[in-house]
């Protein structure tokens, strides 16, 4: 039976999109914009909900730990599940769980009866959803663009993601100040519902059938072998285990405390977070044009400025100084983020993306529960300024260590692509872009309307990071 011809309007819309912006890429980007608008405000709202309930700095750390602990515990399972069943189903289910938990959280806060243990349970449910969502989302995104234009596509995606974060942080800080944290949490629940609806329309018809495996444990072992066999990969993940743990303590505990005690409340902290978002957008704009040859060397050099916000809070600088530090940090880390995602797209086989991504997320977030829980006691034991200076110094130290790994310095961009016949329809049509079949040299594919696709060769392996 002949397919109906596409309408002129749909053809016109597809023609206006860049060739690498397929249907799945557009849906993923739109859904991420929606969730980031809600999530950045919800981060501020959660902290102030704890304060309004009479909680202390230690309680803020406990609520943050309750989110991060299930995230760490379930990440590996989430990665294996996302490589066994359609990734978009995992993403939609995770969004539904986060929507319900945030809605209940909002009702409790608006009613004035929220208790610390209830906040911990609800944020733990959010963390559980995120543990299944992150590996699936990363794998889905990395299979939605062509190898040749991957860097630009990831830069544009991250530009949209962080641009939404700017608005979400600024709006969240203002709404917390004017209407209270409960309404901000309700907006976040609505954002999860809308994003889940968009992700339900993702097309996975071009994804090759998964070969039968030996079960969940066998899948995890295979992902581990893919991960541990590359020194540059696990060394950077180990680095970020420390860096992300410290950032979590700074952003979830120390930053709001400094804002409350030294800067005047939630709004200045929201402005500072928005400045970080502006910096990431500026970095993403830069990466749409700049294609550094030594991907991970340049990216790792740009991790050093992440220590600037901790140092600024340690002084503490005024709002202008803190905003500048956050902007520089955001711009620098975006160079790393795009380079890291490009390396993953270039190196890891499609059928292992979510498992390898899960090991990345697991390693990078492993210390978050401990670091956020210890932030309050560290302030009491050493003083707030001393703890923040220690965090900044440790970030610089572990980043310098990673540069000693030869593979980190030497991994290079390989822009060569080739055409193969018989691939799934691509961005110019309504069909999803499909990944390449499993082979020793296979990587990601994205088709075009005439049934051709581009492929990037796989050599050493990498994994993606969303910053």
């Amino acid at each position: 039976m002949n397919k109906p011809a596409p309408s002129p309007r749909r053809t016109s819309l597809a023609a206006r999109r860049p060739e690498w912006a397929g249907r799945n890429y557009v849906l993923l980007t739109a859904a991420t914009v929606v969730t980031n608008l809600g999530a950045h405000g919800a981060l501020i709202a959660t902290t102030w909900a704890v304060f309004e309930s009479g909680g202390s700095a230690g309680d803020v750390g406990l609520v943050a730990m309750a989110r991060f602990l299930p995230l760490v515990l379930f990440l590996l399972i989430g990665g294996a599940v996302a490589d066994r069943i359609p990734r978009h189903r995992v993403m939609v289910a995770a969004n539904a769980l986060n929507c319900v938990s945030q809605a209940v959280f909002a009702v409790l806060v608006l009613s004035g009866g929220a208790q610390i243990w209830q906040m911990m349970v609800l944020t733990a449910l959010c963390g559980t959803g995120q543990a299944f969502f992150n590996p699936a989302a990363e794998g889905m995104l990395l299979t939605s663009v062509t190898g040749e234009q991957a860097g630009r596509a990831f830069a544009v995606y991250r530009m949209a993601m962080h641009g939404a974060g700017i608005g979400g942080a600024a709006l969240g800080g203002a709404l917390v100040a004017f209407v209270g944290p409960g309404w901000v949490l309700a907006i976040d629940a609505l954002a999860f519902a809308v994003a889940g609806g968009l992700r339900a329309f993702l097309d996975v018809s071009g994804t090759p059938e998964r070969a039968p495996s030996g079960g969940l444990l066998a899948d995890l072992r295979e992902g581990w072998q893919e991960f541990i066999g590359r020194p540059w990969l696990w060394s950077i993940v180990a680095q970020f285990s420390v860096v992300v743990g410290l950032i979590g303590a700074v952003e979830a505990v120390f930053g709001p405390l400094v804002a409350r005690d030294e800067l005047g409340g939630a709004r200045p902290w929201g402005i500072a977070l928005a400045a970080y978002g502006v910096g990431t957008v500026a970095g993403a704009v830069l990466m749409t044009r700049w294609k550094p040859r030594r991907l991970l060397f340049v990216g790792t050099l740009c991790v050093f400025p992440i220590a600037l916000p901790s140092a600024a809070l340690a002084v503490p600088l005024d709002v202008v100084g803190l905003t500048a530090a956050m902007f520089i940090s955001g711009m620098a880390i975006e160079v790393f983020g795009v380079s890291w995602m490009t390396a993953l797209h270039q190196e890891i086989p499609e059928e292992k993306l979510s498992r390898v991504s899960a090991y990345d997320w697991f390693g990078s977030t492993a210390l978050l529960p401990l670091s956020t829980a210890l932030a309050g006691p560290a302030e009491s034991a050493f003083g707030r300024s001393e703890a923040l200076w220690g965090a900044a110094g440790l970030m610089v130290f572990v980043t310098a260590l990673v540069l000693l790994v030869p593979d980190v310095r030497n991994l290079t961009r390989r822009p060569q692509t080739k055409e193969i016949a018989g691939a799934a329809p691509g961005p110019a049509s309504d069909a999803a872009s499909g990944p390449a079949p499993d082979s020793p040299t296979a990587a990601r594919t994205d088709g075009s309307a005439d049934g051709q696709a581009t492929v990037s060769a796989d050599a050493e392996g990498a994994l993606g990071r969303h910053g």
Side-chain angles (χ1 to χ4, degrees):
M1 185 168 64
N2 294 330
K3 285 186 177 182
S7 69
R9 183 173 180 272
R10 288 168 63 185
T11 304
S12 175
L13 288 173
R16 285 200 296 267
R17 292 201 304 255
E19 63 178 16
W20 42 262
R23 180 175 182 271
N24 278 3
Y25 177 88
V26 172
L27 284 171
L28 288 166
T29 303
T32 298
V33 167
V34 172
T35 50
N36 267 31
L37 282 170
H40 279 70
L43 288 174
I44 302 172
T46 299
T47 300
W48 258 262
V50 175
F51 287 151
E52 288 188 1
S53 70
S56 63
D59 293 325
V60 172
L62 287 174
V63 172
M65 180 196 69
R67 180 186 183 94
F68 297 138
L69 187 58
L71 176 63
V72 172
L73 291 176
F74 294 111
L75 265 172
L76 298 183
I77 297 174
V81 168
D83 275 342
R84 292 171 68 89
I85 65 177
R87 292 179 177 127
H88 73 305
R89 294 182 183 175
V90 179
M91 297 164 69
V92 172
N95 284 166
L97 176 60
N98 286 352
C99 172
V100 172
S101 61
Q102 289 295 79
V104 174
F105 198 169
V107 170
L108 289 174
V109 173
L110 288 171
S111 68
Q115 301 179 29
I116 298 299
W117 72 267
Q118 294 171 326
M119 297 182 191
M120 292 178 66
V121 170
L122 292 169
T123 54
L125 289 175
C126 270
T128 302
Q130 207 68 23
F132 285 85
F133 176 85
N134 288 348
E138 201 157 89
M140 198 77 199
L141 173 66
L142 292 168
T143 59
S144 69
V145 298
T146 67
E148 185 178 4
Q149 298 291 339
R152 177 171 293 182
F154 298 145
V156 172
Y157 171 86
R158 293 171 67 93
M159 190 190 314
M161 175 178 70
H162 293 305
I166 297 169
L171 182 62
L175 286 176
V176 167
F178 286 109
V179 300
W183 289 109
V184 179
L185 292 167
I187 292 171
D188 190 36
L190 177 62
F192 276 119
V194 173
L198 290 172
R199 288 166 177 140
F201 289 100
L202 290 168
D203 188 347
V204 295
S205 59
T207 303
E209 293 291 330
R210 303 285 188 237
S213 67
L216 188 64
L217 291 179
D219 286 347
L220 290 173
R221 283 196 299 270
E222 187 178 7
W224 173 253
Q225 291 167 357
E226 192 80 17
F227 173 79
I228 200 64
R230 297 169 174 83
W232 59 268
L233 194 156
W234 57 256
S235 64
I236 288 182
V237 172
Q239 167 206 9
F240 269 81
S241 182
V242 176
V243 171
V244 172
L246 293 170
I247 290 174
V250 170
E251 292 192 353
V253 181
F254 290 118
L257 288 174
V258 172
R260 183 192 67 181
D261 298 341
E262 306 286 345
L263 303 178
R267 190 183 301 178
W269 184 235
I271 292 172
L273 292 176
Y276 179 88
V278 173
T280 59
V281 171
V285 171
L286 172 64
M287 294 304 287
T288 63
R289 299 291 182 180
W290 184 32
K291 296 182 178 180
R293 181 171 175 272
R294 290 200 286 173
L295 288 166
L296 297 182
F297 177 69
V298 171
T300 301
L301 289 178
C302 290
V303 177
F304 286 106
I306 296 181
L308 288 176
S310 297
L313 290 167
V315 173
L317 296 181
D318 59 14
V319 176
V320 174
L322 177 61
T323 300
M326 294 286 277
F327 174 84
I328 294 170
S329 175
M331 185 172 183
I333 198 56
E334 195 63 15
V335 176
F336 172 85
V338 173
S339 298
W340 190 241
M341 292 183 72
T342 304
L344 169 58
H345 180 272
Q346 175 178 285
E347 304 293 344
I348 294 295
E350 186 277 335
E351 74 280 0
K352 299 177 183 177
L353 274 171
S354 290
R355 278 170 288 171
V356 173
S357 173
Y359 280 106
D360 175 18
W361 281 100
F362 177 81
S364 299
T365 59
L367 295 181
L368 272 172
L370 181 63
S371 64
T372 52
L374 292 179
E379 179 187 25
S380 300
F382 306 110
R384 185 182 299 170
S385 180
E386 290 76 9
L388 284 164
W389 279 121
L394 191 52
M395 290 183 204
V396 170
F397 176 71
V398 297
T399 302
L401 284 181
V402 167
L403 290 175
L404 300 177
V405 179
D407 288 349
V408 172
R409 302 194 303 270
N410 298 328
L411 185 89
T412 58
R413 181 189 300 269
R414 294 189 307 279
Q416 294 84 7
T417 60
K418 62 180 180 180
E419 290 186 344
I420 60 174
S429 73
D430 278 337
S433 45
D438 182 17
S439 71
T441 59
R444 317 304 72 76
T445 67
D446 185 34
S448 62
D450 60 4
Q452 293 180 325
T454 57
V455 175
S456 174
D458 173 42
E460 296 174 333
L463 29 116
R465 185 183 306 276
H466 292 294

